[in-house]
Amino acid sequence: MNLGFLGLQFSFGLQQGNMGPIYSYLGANEAQLPMLSLAGPITGLLIQPLIGALSDRTDSRWGRRTPYFIAGAVLCALGLFLMPLSSSLLMAVSLLWVLDAGNNITMEPYRAYVSDRLNPNQRQTGFLSQSAFTGLAQMLAFLTPSLLVAFGMNKDWVDAHNIPYTVRVVFTVGAVLSLSTIVWSVLRVPELPLTDEQRAHIAAAPKGFSATLAEIGSAIRDMPQAMRKLGLMSLFQWFGMSGYWTYAVYSIGRTVYATQDAHSPDFHSAVLTNGEVAAFYNAVAFVAAFAMVPLAKRMGPGPLHALCLAAGGIGMIALPHVTDKALLFVPAIGVGLAWGSIMGNPYTILSNAIPPARTGVYMGIFNMMIVIPMLLFAVLMSRLDLGVVSLGFGLYERALGNDPRQMLTLCGAMLVCAALSVLWVQEGRAAAIRLTEAGAA
């Protein structure tokens, strides 16, 4: 069931590891990067709640979630295949909108799919297993360029637009993998048939775009208290992760390779090193996700998530002070623990606090708590001059001195704040523990 999620997360891994460098190869400066990456948070903000509400109300011959899996997979594959062929910043930014639209159309139903298929006492294992596949997929996405170089491909072999051919190969692999694994998963693990009660509920629900928007609004008004409290945690958590993904490679370029030149061989080495470090922390996340299953049952997903976030924050704060490549992997352990927990434990708290009939819409709304911090990060840190108007506050330049090492320190502090705030979510943790104990009994 989660093999398709592996293909989807391979795509996300390619974005995290390569979009910043691709923009730099095409002439963007570091301060512009968050604003150029707005496609992810904006499509997530608009598409996921909408697709969540629509899939909750879908009763088709292909299933409730399946039509959205397939449509998103096709868009995702198209965006991945064309991205490394970009000849300008405008082309790359436009293709990122296509790619992120596809990813978000598929992502939200996949979250709901796990909740649809599993009993409440199985969801802890289900979401942490999904987290493990996230770690595995992104590990492969980050590591593949270094493997290509190890097998003899020249890391400095670039096209006319300064994009390395290693990027072209790995994005093509991602396009094939994303589409094929999602189709295979849908065929091998079809959705459970809707019950008569579910069909009657869908048939009685108002139809149309306005009804879908009304359902989203109603769900926000009726949001469980535990889900509301998760919003503060998400604000700090995803602000920190956005900054790390955007600027880690540039921090490594300065500390390990002493370069700021995106067209230099040393920067190509920094990109590969960042991929290896990211592959390592995703491998840690893959292993940790399975190890967290018994721990979460014993201590609850909330306290466990807080510990993992604190470890990630410490790792991010330490990473800019490392000047030796081999030692970069030590703070990456903390980042891996945090990432493995982020992709599993909050969804366990959430899924046990929301009504099953509204799983899709609430998973979509929860994604708003992910993308709004990303939007906030872009607006605060970046500045994009469009001639007649400038967008963003440009704090990366004004407050952090265009220094990615300062950014990583800020990101680590954000994760520590997220660790403290998750302890506030008492209702969700208690609900998860009660359901776990009931399942064990």
Side-chain angles (χ1 to χ4, degrees):
M1 182 169 140
N2 273 320
L3 186 65
F5 200 73
L6 181 144
L8 178 64
Q9 290 297 330
F10 192 94
S11 170
F12 275 110
L14 291 179
Q15 286 180 246
Q16 291 170 18
N18 294 280
M19 285 314 304
I22 286 174
Y23 287 150
S24 295
Y25 299 143
L26 294 172
N29 63 57
E30 291 178 12
Q32 295 174 321
L33 297 177
M35 200 66 74
L36 293 173
S37 301
L38 280 176
I42 290 179
T43 55
L45 182 66
L46 299 177
I47 289 176
Q48 288 216 24
L50 182 63
I51 295 299
L54 287 172
S55 68
D56 281 345
R57 295 162 178 255
T58 297
D59 181 11
S60 74
R61 58 182 292 189
W62 299 284
R64 194 180 192 182
R65 318 289 183 189
T66 299
Y68 305 98
F69 293 160
I70 301 301
V74 171
L75 280 177
C76 177
L78 182 65
L80 286 172
F81 182 76
L82 294 175
M83 180 62 74
L85 305 179
S86 297
S87 58
S88 66
L89 268 176
L90 178 61
M91 182 176 177
V93 170
S94 300
L95 286 172
L96 185 61
W97 283 85
V98 174
L99 175 56
D100 275 324
N103 282 337
N104 281 289
I105 289 171
T106 303
M107 170 69 82
E108 192 288 325
Y110 241 113
R111 293 293 190 194
Y113 188 38
V114 172
S115 190
D116 291 343
R117 295 275 317 192
L118 301 181
N119 295 325
N121 64 311
Q122 296 174 314
R123 289 175 188 158
Q124 179 78 58
T125 303
F127 281 114
L128 285 173
S129 296
Q130 195 171 75
S131 176
F133 273 85
T134 298
L136 176 62
Q138 296 197 6
M139 177 188 73
L140 295 173
F142 280 111
L143 191 58
T144 301
S146 290
L147 292 176
L148 293 174
V149 173
F151 291 142
M153 201 166 182
N154 184 356
K155 67 179 175 63
D156 300 319
W157 181 29
V158 300
D159 64 16
H161 309 290
N162 300 308
I163 298 175
Y165 280 95
T166 52
V167 175
R168 185 175 298 187
V169 172
V170 74
F171 269 69
T172 302
V173 170
V176 174
L177 188 65
S178 179
L179 182 60
S180 62
T181 56
I182 289 171
V183 171
W184 189 92
S185 182
V186 167
L187 293 176
R188 295 292 295 173
V189 190
E191 295 184 64
L192 295 175
L194 294 174
T195 64
D196 292 339
E197 182 181 356
Q198 288 173 321
R199 291 184 185 276
H201 177 78
I202 291 172
K207 303 295 189 294
F209 184 71
S210 60
T212 299
L213 293 180
E215 166 65 9
I216 295 171
S218 172
I220 292 174
R221 288 193 302 272
D222 300 337
M223 188 183 301
Q225 188 69 14
M227 185 174 175
R228 292 182 187 275
K229 289 186 175 183
L230 284 171
L232 182 62
M233 175 211 73
S234 292
L235 174 64
F236 294 123
Q237 174 179 284
W238 290 105
F239 191 101
M241 293 306 299
S242 295
Y244 178 82
W245 288 330
T246 304
Y247 288 103
V249 62
Y250 299 94
S251 176
I252 291 172
R254 283 167 170 77
T255 58
V256 178
Y257 294 96
T259 185
Q260 302 180 43
D261 182 3
H263 300 123
S264 68
D266 282 337
F267 184 76
H268 295 159
S269 296
V271 173
L272 293 177
T273 296
N274 179 62
E276 292 162 11
V277 170
F280 176 75
Y281 82 65
N282 275 284
V284 171
F286 174 74
V287 175
F290 288 114
M292 286 179 200
V293 174
L295 288 174
K297 290 180 179 179
R298 179 175 300 177
M299 63 189 299
L304 178 60
H305 189 47
L307 287 173
C308 291
L309 286 175
I314 293 169
M316 288 184 187
I317 291 169
L319 194 141
H321 302 283
V322 178
T323 57
D324 183 83
K325 176 182 174 179
L327 294 179
L328 290 172
F329 296 91
V330 177
I333 295 172
V335 179
L337 291 174
W339 184 230
S341 184
I342 285 170
M343 296 303 290
N345 283 312
Y347 292 95
T348 302
I349 299 171
L350 175 66
S351 65
N352 289 317
I354 58 178
R358 298 178 110 176
T359 296
V361 68
Y362 274 123
M363 288 292 180
I365 292 170
F366 189 60
N367 189 68
M368 293 170 66
M369 298 181 184
I370 297 173
V371 299
I372 288 174
M374 292 181 173
L375 282 171
L376 184 64
F377 170 80
V379 171
L380 289 177
M381 293 298 159
S382 189
R383 186 173 181 85
L384 191 62
D385 190 356
L386 301 179
V388 294
V389 65
S390 294
L391 301 177
F393 290 90
L395 294 184
Y396 177 74
E397 180 179 7
R398 295 179 179 180
L400 301 180
N402 283 319
D403 191 340
R405 294 165 292 189
Q406 298 295 329
M407 175 63 76
L408 260 62
T409 300
L410 174 62
C411 294
M414 290 292 103
L415 257 65
V416 172
C417 290
L420 295 173
S421 63
V422 76
L423 296 174
W424 184 43
V425 190
Q426 297 292 332
E427 291 89 343
R429 183 162 71 251
I433 292 172
R434 284 197 300 271
L435 284 165
T436 300
E437 291 174 346

